[in-house]
Amino acid sequence: MFAGSIVIGVTLLSFAIWLHWNERQGWAGESSDDRLDQHYYASRMRSRRWVHVLFGLCGILVIVAAFAGPGRVWIGCWMSVMLALLVIMVLAGVDAFRTLRYQSKKKPEIRRQIFERDE
């Protein structure tokens, strides 16, 4: 149980660092050409930073639980991890809704670009 918790904790920490690094570098195919793109990417980065922090916190809590062993600290750490993962799911839903609104606002611009290329 100790080794498994360490592996999970280190994996969560590594995942949080990797996500944050990719968010700072920018994902492939992203370009902020206009104000709509810049506003969306800025708000997305702010909200995803919270997700990265929560993933990192989960990793730290799992490692603390591994060293604490069964008991009150172990239960508290794992309950906190469960709560943090639930919050991450809610934030993912908010991010999906934000992306849907962005794409619906961006659609007319994309159509215009496609029709200009065809002519």
Side-chain angles (χ1 to χ4, degrees):
M1 190 161 92
F2 176 78
S5 292
I6 295 296
V7 168
I8 290 171
V10 170
T11 302
L12 283 171
L13 279 172
S14 301
F15 185 61
I17 291 167
W18 177 77
L19 281 175
H20 189 69
W21 183 78
N22 276 330
E23 191 68 34
R24 296 300 256 167
Q25 298 298 318
W27 296 90
E30 286 185 345
S31 63
S32 55
D33 298 334
D34 58 1
R35 288 180 56 86
L36 179 64
D37 293 338
Q38 292 170 356
H39 175 71
Y40 168 71
Y41 291 141
S43 64
R44 184 184 75 179
M45 187 178 297
R46 279 191 308 271
S47 71
R48 287 188 180 177
R49 187 177 306 130
W50 283 106
V51 171
H52 305 157
V53 167
L54 286 173
F55 269 127
L57 180 66
C58 286
I60 291 169
L61 286 172
V62 169
I63 292 170
V64 168
F67 283 105
R72 289 183 182 201
V73 174
W74 186 86
I75 290 172
C77 286
W78 278 105
M79 293 298 282
S80 298
V81 167
M82 183 184 69
L83 182 64
L85 292 176
L86 182 64
V87 170
I88 288 172
M89 289 176 55
V90 169
L91 289 175
V94 169
D95 189 42
F97 183 69
R98 179 187 308 111
T99 301
L100 184 65
R101 286 188 320 173
Y102 164 73
Q103 288 177 344
S104 67
K105 291 177 183 176
K106 186 81 173 167
K107 238 180 231 181
E109 182 182 326
I110 294 171
R111 285 186 183 139
R112 231 183 350 264
Q113 290 174 352
I114 291 172
F115 287 134
E116 286 175 2
R117 279 191 231 149
D118 289 342
E119 294 175 353

